[in-house]
């Protein structure tokens, strides 16, 4: 054995020990291969758990595929579900790239939806204004609502050193109660937990709106929010990969100490990234109520902001990769609505995330298993 | 409003947070953040409840709940200690996994009917202490009393025993501890799993003692995260965690009680008159955690007490931390 293998201090009473040797460089194919392997493993584990609790894993997976990709309508519905996931996934990717753990995309999404609703329900634009005025106003309001909600944990961290994970989670709960206050209280429609339906000027156009001239589009629910999400992905990619600001974000994420020595103002970047991240999640909220539900209600998000964490992680914080990953998870959420037991999608998401982070050890280390021989002299470790 | 009753209920509810927070203190003192408390509590809650339903033995439920929480934390230990993966992400994954798995396992449990709960009793002499007696020692669940004992025990263990010294050294200076012959990996494993056992116990405290029943993810309803916040507020001290947990429980009970009476101190009650206003009461505990964190971190800065120095950093012999 030539390489100086770093042994773990102890392998318990097992007949073998795990050996991790740091890699200097990983081959290019390894990262995607590991991701694919982790996904396959995650599905296998999920299937095993489903079989143990008495569900039929084959049926569940077949259902997921057929109800998310089985027809043009199903694919369209998948894209609808993926729209908020792309935007919140971008929000998380941007923050995570700087190692800023914004777990608050859910709350920022809710506040964005609330602010966009305020444009219609207060109303902040005169009633009867055309869509060309109302929709941009809602978009801006959604961005600002999410951005301001995102600035709170940013300020708490830069001013008081409060951990942003706990802060954003608390703010998610506060945001949910805030939405409930408005849909049960001032904006309620006859005491139900929803506002009145928005007028048509506040609806993002759908593909099916064109069905009169192109019959094939009938029933397709994809709305303008999907385009907004794609544009946002491009913009975030430009910011992160091609701008000076993005360079600062990446530098802080990779080595915050070096960044500080290089004269980069960390606090300012924390605030800016939190604001833009929150704003992206806010747009997701706007797109969801303007493109899908057409009113504010308290339960319109099945936890998009939390799934976004996994989306961002699976995309390795790369803005453009967020799009396909979000579409994948959009299909999972869509199919998950009818799956029993109802916790299955969340469970699968957790297992996927676990397998992903576990797989990364192979990227950073050569992992070997060494057998413990009674006579230690002269045995060579097998490399995995 | 009977303040004494509210405080007594606050202590019971606070016990849930206490167990989870003490568990997290142990793990973090060893240098490992475990953000999966919410998931471990849910798994403990469902495992304990399901066991009690099927065996009608709540004590067996407590044991199974702790084992379930411990098992989940073992996963976190393997990923973060042996594989040296990011503790934050692994903890988040644990929350997802625990929440989803608990909902899968808890399918149909919500209408399981009534179960026999853990015993409640009064402590003979202590119950007669004025004010404190009726609040803390009258008709509380046995787990509440176990909570009282756990606080000084944990404090003594951490501050005044040899294993406690090893625990602290592993969390502050793992390389030095390693050089002195402390098994860093084994110590971290032990305390991460201890944290999981206690998080499972916290879950069982909900379903088998304080708020019996299974309500899906709402059973724990974010209290695992509040416990994580409490640890920072408590500056990793069991006594401060206890104060925080009981205070927090009392505030939560107070916000519930404030919704009921038509008048408070002779004034008309805004939370009774207009039901949507109660959502502001629901925000209050979370806002309180934020305020506590602001206050706690200011104090920590002033007194120069901070997190364990090696918190969040994987240990590899001969390598510098990231």
């Amino acid at each position: 054995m030539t390489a100086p293998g770093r042994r773990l201090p102890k392998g318990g009473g097992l007949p073998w020990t795990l050996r991790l040797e740091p890699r200097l460089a990983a081959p290019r194919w390894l990262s995607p291969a590991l991701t694919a392997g982790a996904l396959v493993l995650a599905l296998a584990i999920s299937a095993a758990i489903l079989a143990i609790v008495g569900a039929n894993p084959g049926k569940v997976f077949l259902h997921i595929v057929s109800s998310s990709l089985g027809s043009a309508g199903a694919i369209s519905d998948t894209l609808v579900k993926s729209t908020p996931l792309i935007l919140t996934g971008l929000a998380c990717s941007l923050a995570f790239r700087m190692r800023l753990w914004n777990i608050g995309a859910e709350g920022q999404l809710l506040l964005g939806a609330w602010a966009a609703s305020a444009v219609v329900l207060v109303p902040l634009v005169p009633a009867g204004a055309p869509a060309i005025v109302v929709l941009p106003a809602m978009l801006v309001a959604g961005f600002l609502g999410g951005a301001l909600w995102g600035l709170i944990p940013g300020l708490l961290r830069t001013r008081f050193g409060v951990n942003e994970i706990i802060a954003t989670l608390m703010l998610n709960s506060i945001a949910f109660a805030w939405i409930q206050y408005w849909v049960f209280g001032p904006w309620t429609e006859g005491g139900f937990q929803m506002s009145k339906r928005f007028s048509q000027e506040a609806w993002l156009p759908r593909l099916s709106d064109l069905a009169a001239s192109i019959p094939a589009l009938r029933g397709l629910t994809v709305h303008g929010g999907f385009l907004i999400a794609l544009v946002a992905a491009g913009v975030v990619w430009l910011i992160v990969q091609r701008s000076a600001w993005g360079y600062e974000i990446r530098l802080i994420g990779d080595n915050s100490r070096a960044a500080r020595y290089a004269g980069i103002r960390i606090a300012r970047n924390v605030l800016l990234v939190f604001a833009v991240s929150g704003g992206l999640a806010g747009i997701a909220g706007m797109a969801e109520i303007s493109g899908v539900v057409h009113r504010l209600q308290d339960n319109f998000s099945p936890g998009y902001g939390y799934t976004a964490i996994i989306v961002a992680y699976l995309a390795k914080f790369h803005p453009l990769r967020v799009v396909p990953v979000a579409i994948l998870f959009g299909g999972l959420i869509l199919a998950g609505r009818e799956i029993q037991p109802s916790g299955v999608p969340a469970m699968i998401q957790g297992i996927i995330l676990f397998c992903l982070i576990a797989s990364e050890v192979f990227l950073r280390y050569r992992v070997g298993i060494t057998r413990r021989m009674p006579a230690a002299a002269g045995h060579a470790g097998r490399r995995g | 409003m009977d303040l004494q009753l509210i405080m007594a209920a606050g202590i019971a509810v606070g016990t849930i947070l206490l167990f989870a927070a003490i568990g997290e203190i142990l793990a973090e003192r060893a240098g490992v953040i475990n953000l999966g408390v919410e998931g471990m509590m849910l798994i403990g809650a469902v495992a304990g409840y399901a066991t009690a339903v099927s065996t009608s033995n709540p004590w067996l439920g407590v044991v199974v709940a702790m084992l379930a929480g411990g098992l989940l934390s073992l996963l976190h230990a393997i990923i973060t200690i042996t594989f040296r993966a990011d503790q934050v992400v692994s903890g988040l994954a644990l929350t997802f996994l625990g929440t989803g798995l608990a909902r899968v396992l808890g399918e149909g449990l919500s209408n399981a009917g009534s179960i026999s709960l853990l015993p409640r009793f009064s402590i003979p002499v202590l119950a007669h202490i004025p004010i404190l007696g009726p609040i803390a020692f009258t008709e509380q669940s046995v787990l509440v009393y176990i909570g009282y004992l756990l606080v000084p025990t944990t404090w003594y263990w951490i501050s005044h025993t040899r294993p406690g010294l090893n625990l602290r050294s592993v969390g502050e200076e793992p390389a030095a501890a390693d050089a002195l012959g402390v098994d860093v990996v084994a110590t971290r494993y032990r305390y991460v799993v201890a944290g999981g056992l206690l998080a499972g116990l916290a879950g069982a405290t909900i379903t088998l003692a304080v708020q019996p029943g299974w309500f899906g993810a709402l059973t724990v309803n974010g209290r695992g995260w509040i416990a994580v916040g409490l640890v920072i507020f408590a500056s990793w001290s069991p006594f401060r965690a206890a104060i925080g947990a009981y205070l927090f429980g009392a505030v939560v009970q107070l916000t519930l009680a404030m919704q009921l009476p038509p008048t408070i101190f002779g004034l008309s009650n805004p939370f009774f008159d207009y039901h949507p206003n109660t959502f502001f009461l629901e925000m209050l505990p979370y806002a309180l955690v934020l305020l506590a964190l602001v206050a706690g971190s200011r104090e920590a800065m002033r007194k120069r007490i901070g997190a364990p120095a090696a918190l969040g950093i994987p240990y590899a012999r001969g390598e510098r931390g990231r």
Side-chain angles (χ1 to χ4, degrees), chain A residues 352-365:
Chain A
I352 289 177
L353 191 53
F354 250 121
C355 291
L356 276 175
I357 50 181
S359 75
E360 285 194 345
V361 72
F362 297 100
L363 209 56
R364 287 182 291 120
Y365 298 99

Side-chain angles (χ1 to χ4, degrees), chain A:
Chain A
M1 206 162 68
T2 49
R6 292 201 170 94
R7 280 166 187 281
L8 295 173
K10 198 181 167 192
L14 301 171
W16 40 264
T17 54
L18 204 60
R19 204 185 59 243
L20 303 182
E21 296 168 22
R23 271 182 204 276
L24 293 177
R28 284 183 66 90
W29 55 266
L30 189 59
S31 176
L34 281 173
T35 304
L39 280 178
V40 170
L41 181 68
L43 291 183
I45 296 174
S46 308
I49 293 180
L50 285 175
I52 290 170
V53 300
N56 181 340
K59 237 168 138 181
V60 168
F61 288 144
L62 206 65
H63 171 81
I64 291 177
V65 173
S66 72
S67 63
S68 56
L69 298 169
S71 65
I75 293 174
S76 157
D77 286 349
T78 294
L79 294 183
V80 169
K81 289 283 172 201
S82 71
T83 300
L85 283 179
I86 296 174
L87 286 159
T88 50
L90 289 170
C92 290
S93 295
L94 182 67
F96 292 178
R97 188 66 191 82
M98 209 175 103
R99 293 188 67 76
L100 198 60
W101 299 110
N102 177 15
I103 312 300
E106 183 75 7
Q108 291 142 15
L109 173 146
L110 292 176
L111 260 285
W114 175 82
S117 303
V119 170
V120 187
L121 297 172
V122 170
L124 297 179
V125 293
I132 195 109
V133 175
V134 177
L135 287 175
M138 288 174 78
L139 188 69
V140 171
F143 182 87
L144 287 180
L148 288 175
W149 202 243
L151 269 176
I152 298 174
L155 282 168
L156 285 174
R157 176 169 149 159
T158 53
R159 288 287 165 85
F160 303 106
V162 171
N163 179 304
E164 74 271 18
I165 298 176
I166 307 294
T168 47
L169 276 159
M170 296 300 122
L171 287 166
N172 286 349
S173 300
I174 294 175
F176 189 68
W178 175 250
I179 296 289
Q180 284 189 308
Y181 167 74
W182 286 89
V183 296
F184 276 103
W187 290 346
T188 186
E189 167 100 279
F192 294 103
Q193 60 232 54
M194 53 173 73
S195 75
K196 70 174 204 264
R197 206 179 163 111
F198 300 160
S199 58
Q200 295 242 1
E201 290 75 39
W203 295 11
L204 279 168
R206 286 176 167 168
L207 267 190
S208 57
D209 295 348
L210 304 172
S213 42
I214 313 170
L217 297 178
R218 182 169 301 140
L220 295 188
T221 50
V222 180
H223 55 81
F226 187 68
L227 269 184
I228 297 174
L230 292 184
V231 171
V235 170
V236 174
W237 178 79
L238 280 175
I239 290 176
V240 173
Q241 303 290 342
R242 290 284 182 272
S243 77
W245 181 37
Y247 176 71
E248 290 191 5
I249 293 173
R250 284 180 287 142
L251 189 58
I252 296 172
D254 291 339
N255 190 336
S256 67
R257 190 177 295 178
R260 191 172 301 128
Y261 290 147
I264 293 172
R265 282 182 288 177
I266 309 261
R268 182 167 156 269
N269 274 299
V270 167
L271 293 179
L272 273 174
V273 165
F274 248 124
V276 175
S277 176
L280 286 165
I283 292 177
M286 174 271 169
E288 197 63 8
I289 56 157
S290 171
V292 181
V293 287
H294 300 148
R295 53 162 46 112
L296 188 65
Q297 35 184 52
D298 69 340
N299 55 356
F300 71 90
S301 166
Y304 290 124
Y306 296 109
T307 301
I309 298 164
I310 305 174
V311 169
Y313 209 80
L314 193 55
K316 304 224 186 291
F317 313 155
H318 190 291
L320 296 184
R321 284 189 215 147
V322 163
V323 176
V325 176
I327 293 173
L328 196 74
F329 276 80
L332 186 61
I333 287 186
L334 177 72
R337 288 179 312 177
E338 303 122 35
I339 292 180
Q340 291 299 325
S342 57
V344 169
M347 185 190 74
I348 295 181
Q349 289 177 21
I351 295 173
I352 289 177
L353 191 53
F354 250 121
C355 291
L356 276 175
I357 50 181
S359 75
E360 285 194 345
V361 72
F362 297 100
L363 209 56
R364 287 182 291 120
Y365 298 99
R366 285 175 181 283
V367 179
I369 292 176
T370 311
R371 248 192 220 166
R372 254 188 219 172
M373 298 278 186
H379 76 87
R382 235 173 354 103
R383 288 240 174 105

Side-chain angles (χ1 to χ4, degrees), chain A residues 6-10 18 20 22 49-50 53 96 99 101 103 152 156 159-163 165-171 173-175 177-182 184-186 257 306-307 309-310 313 340-344 346-347 349-351 353-354 357-358 361-362 364-365 367, chain B residues 35 72 75-76 79 81-86 88-97 99-101 103-105 107 178 183-186 190 222 225-226 228-229 232 274-280 282-283 285-287 289-290 293-294 297-298 301 315-320 322:
Chain A
R6 292 201 170 94
R7 280 166 187 281
L8 295 173
K10 198 181 167 192
L18 204 60
L20 303 182
I49 293 180
L50 285 175
V53 300
F96 292 178
R99 293 188 67 76
W101 299 110
I103 312 300
I152 298 174
L156 285 174
R159 288 287 165 85
F160 303 106
V162 171
N163 179 304
I165 298 176
I166 307 294
T168 47
L169 276 159
M170 296 300 122
L171 287 166
S173 300
I174 294 175
W178 175 250
I179 296 289
Q180 284 189 308
Y181 167 74
W182 286 89
F184 276 103
R257 190 177 295 178
Y306 296 109
T307 301
I309 298 164
I310 305 174
Y313 209 80
Q340 291 299 325
S342 57
V344 169
M347 185 190 74
Q349 289 177 21
I351 295 173
L353 191 53
F354 250 121
I357 50 181
V361 72
F362 297 100
R364 287 182 291 120
Y365 298 99
V367 179
Chain B
L35 295 180
L72 216 54
L75 198 58
H76 182 67
I79 299 277
I81 302 170
T82 302
F83 287 178
R84 297 170 209 161
D86 192 300
V88 170
V89 187
S90 172
L92 290 174
L94 202 63
T95 297
F96 278 109
L97 178 62
T99 309
L101 199 60
R103 280 169 60 194
V104 170
L105 297 174
E107 187 75 2
D178 195 8
D183 191 334
V184 175
V185 168
R190 246 175 251 142
W225 292 107
I226 290 173
V228 175
I232 302 172
Y274 187 54
H275 172 256
N277 280 341
T278 58
F279 291 113
F280 289 104
E282 276 183 24
M283 295 177 199
Y286 304 109
V289 171
L290 287 178
L293 284 178
V294 170
S297 55
R298 282 182 80 97
M301 268 190 254
Y315 178 67
R317 188 178 281 177
E319 263 179 50
R320 294 193 60 183
R322 283 184 295 171

